[in-house]
Amino acid sequence: MNESAMRAKEIITGYSGRPLRIMEVCGTHTHEIFRLGLRKLLPPQIDLISGPGCPVCVTAVGFIDEACWLALEKGCIICTFGDLIRVPGTEMSLAGARAKGADIRPVYSPLDAVALAKDNPEKQVVFLAVGFETTTPSACLAAKQAKEAGLTNFSLLTANKTMPNAYQALVGSADAFLYPGHVNAITGNATCIRLCEEQGVSGVVAGFTASELLTALAVTIRLLEEGKPFFRNCYPRVVKDEGNPAALRMMQEVMEPCDSEWRGLGMIPASGMKLRAEFVDYDARLKYDMPVITGKPNPACRCGDVLQGKIRPCDCKVFGTGCTPLHPVGACMVSDEGACAAYYQYS
Ligand code: SF4
């Protein structure tokens, strides 16, 4: 451990002030903080709570139902990031749809789905576009490449989300946010600075190594002690104020903001991204004239409360009994970034 990390550790372990609630917005932070054993350093008055920064976890139940409909009713090949396959829908997951004969394929990139469509002109291929500003540019690139290639057998089912209005919905739920470094690497810091200056929301951009997380936590604690709203970028080797202009341009060209439903948080205005008019031929909902499909979450699942930091995963009645990574009831137990999966694995 380097000298500055040692100093950060001393600040954290030596804290003896008022109770503090710090929200790890990002699921990867939740997992890394557990994996690196950093929670064990925290004095009891520092409460680290989980937030909505896991893309699979915040994807609404109805989206899984829509994907199952495309797979089973329209016979589309569904390409998706692997985590999504086991997320429960209202009646079944995509794994359940596969058991009924649907063609569900995990891919590493939306461009793999474009390649699949090129190689199988007689099949219809749909890519499930979920995720935040980190993954949305690659979905946009896929739509652009499909259009340039004149593909008529490729489309996107979109549930892309953006963070600014989600932060807005979470104002007041914590004393400070640990902002997700990889999201800020794309978006830049303008939203976080504005939240601080206009609404007094405090937060620190954090990286993902032990040293970076210790530093971010120590800076957060020190500045909370000072009692004034603050924003700091503690991940400057990756995050620049202006973000990633090329990725932002790609999103701007292909998609535009829309209202979006978040699991547990409900509909948040202008918190999603949908394809622009020039790309509607690649919008699976329009292409297949999809009916309105409203998902019904399992009433036992409290993912919504977990994602807002209202409860800890272990406060859910079915945590570790009815709901385990092998038999998940909610998305937060499925995803590699899910808070319930992290608590199950490490706590
Ligand atoms: S433990 Fe399972 S059922 Fe409970 S909130 Fe987490 S994912 Fe949902």
Side-chain angles (χ1 to χ4, degrees):
M1 196 180 285
N2 63 33
E3 204 175 310
S4 71
M6 289 296 289
R7 179 76 194 113
K9 185 180 163 195
E10 280 169 23
I11 291 170
I12 295 165
T13 54
Y15 179 75
S16 59
R18 70 178 173 94
L20 300 177
R21 280 164 64 83
I22 301 171
M23 178 178 277
E24 320 133 347
V25 175
C26 167
T28 308
H29 279 158
T30 304
H31 275 255
E32 285 307 289
I33 287 169
F34 262 120
R35 192 181 67 78
L36 295 164
L38 304 186
R39 275 183 177 264
K40 294 180 185 144
L41 300 178
L42 298 174
Q45 60 278 50
I46 295 183
D47 195 8
L48 273 188
I49 54 176
S50 302
C54 156
V56 168
C57 303
V58 296
T59 297
V61 174
F63 181 82
I64 303 295
D65 298 346
E66 288 181 321
C68 290
W69 184 84
L70 286 169
L72 292 171
E73 300 296 324
K74 297 296 171 182
C76 300
I77 299 176
I78 301 294
C79 292
T80 174
F81 298 134
D83 276 3
L84 216 49
I85 293 177
R86 294 194 312 118
V87 172
T90 302
E91 288 178 7
M92 72 185 92
S93 63
L94 285 164
R98 181 154 61 189
K100 288 176 179 280
D103 192 344
I104 312 292
R105 304 199 190 186
V107 290
Y108 291 107
S109 157
L111 301 184
D112 294 344
V114 175
L116 185 72
K118 280 182 183 162
D119 292 345
N120 296 274
E122 75 290 357
K123 302 272 190 188
Q124 289 292 327
V125 175
V126 177
F127 176 71
L128 305 187
V130 303
F132 299 111
E133 291 90 339
T134 42
T135 47
T136 299
S138 60
C140 292
L141 181 62
K144 206 172 160 195
Q145 284 194 358
K147 187 173 185 189
E148 283 165 3
L151 290 184
T152 56
N153 66 329
F154 175 79
S155 55
L156 299 174
L157 182 64
T158 56
N160 302 84
K161 303 213 173 346
T162 53
M163 288 309 295
N165 286 5
Y167 293 139
Q168 195 63 53
L170 291 166
V171 167
S173 53
D175 294 300
F177 292 134
L178 275 192
Y179 288 119
H182 45 10
V183 170
N184 283 53
I186 303 293
T187 61
N189 295 326
T191 295
C192 307
I193 293 169
R194 186 166 36 77
L195 278 167
C196 177
E197 291 178 351
E198 296 177 5
Q199 294 181 258
V201 175
S202 294
V204 158
V205 184
F208 297 90
T209 65
S211 165
E212 286 164 344
L213 283 162
L214 283 169
T215 301
L217 285 168
V219 168
T220 303
I221 290 165
R222 269 286 148 87
L223 292 171
L224 282 171
E225 281 182 306
E226 289 179 13
K228 292 186 205 137
F230 59 86
F231 168 75
R232 292 289 188 281
N233 177 7
C234 290
Y235 195 29
R237 71 184 173 92
V238 172
V239 174
K240 309 296 172 208
D241 273 352
E242 68 278 15
N244 181 327
L248 293 171
R249 268 197 307 278
M250 175 61 73
M251 281 194 283
Q252 176 77 12
E253 180 185 342
V254 178
M255 291 194 182
E256 61 186 351
C258 64
D259 298 345
S260 184
E261 188 187 349
W262 295 56
R263 188 184 290 251
L265 280 74
M267 192 66 79
I268 303 181
S271 67
M273 299 290 277
K274 65 174 186 180
L275 290 163
R276 287 186 180 277
E278 304 90 285
F279 291 89
V280 286
D281 291 348
Y282 298 92
D283 184 327
R285 290 187 185 90
L286 299 175
K287 181 172 180 173
Y288 296 101
D289 199 16
M290 188 184 284
V292 175
I293 295 175
T294 310
K296 292 194 187 77
N298 186 319
C301 179
R302 298 191 63 191
C303 277
D305 291 332
V306 171
L307 291 165
Q308 296 173 82
K310 290 182 178 171
I311 64 163
R312 291 176 187 281
C314 40
D315 297 328
C316 171
K317 278 189 182 152
V318 292
F319 175 84
T321 53
C323 181
T324 64
L326 265 185
H327 300 286
V329 173
C332 298
M333 190 58 95
V334 176
S335 170
D336 282 346
E337 295 181 41
C340 298
Y343 273 73
Y344 186 86
Q345 190 173 351
Y346 298 111
S347 72

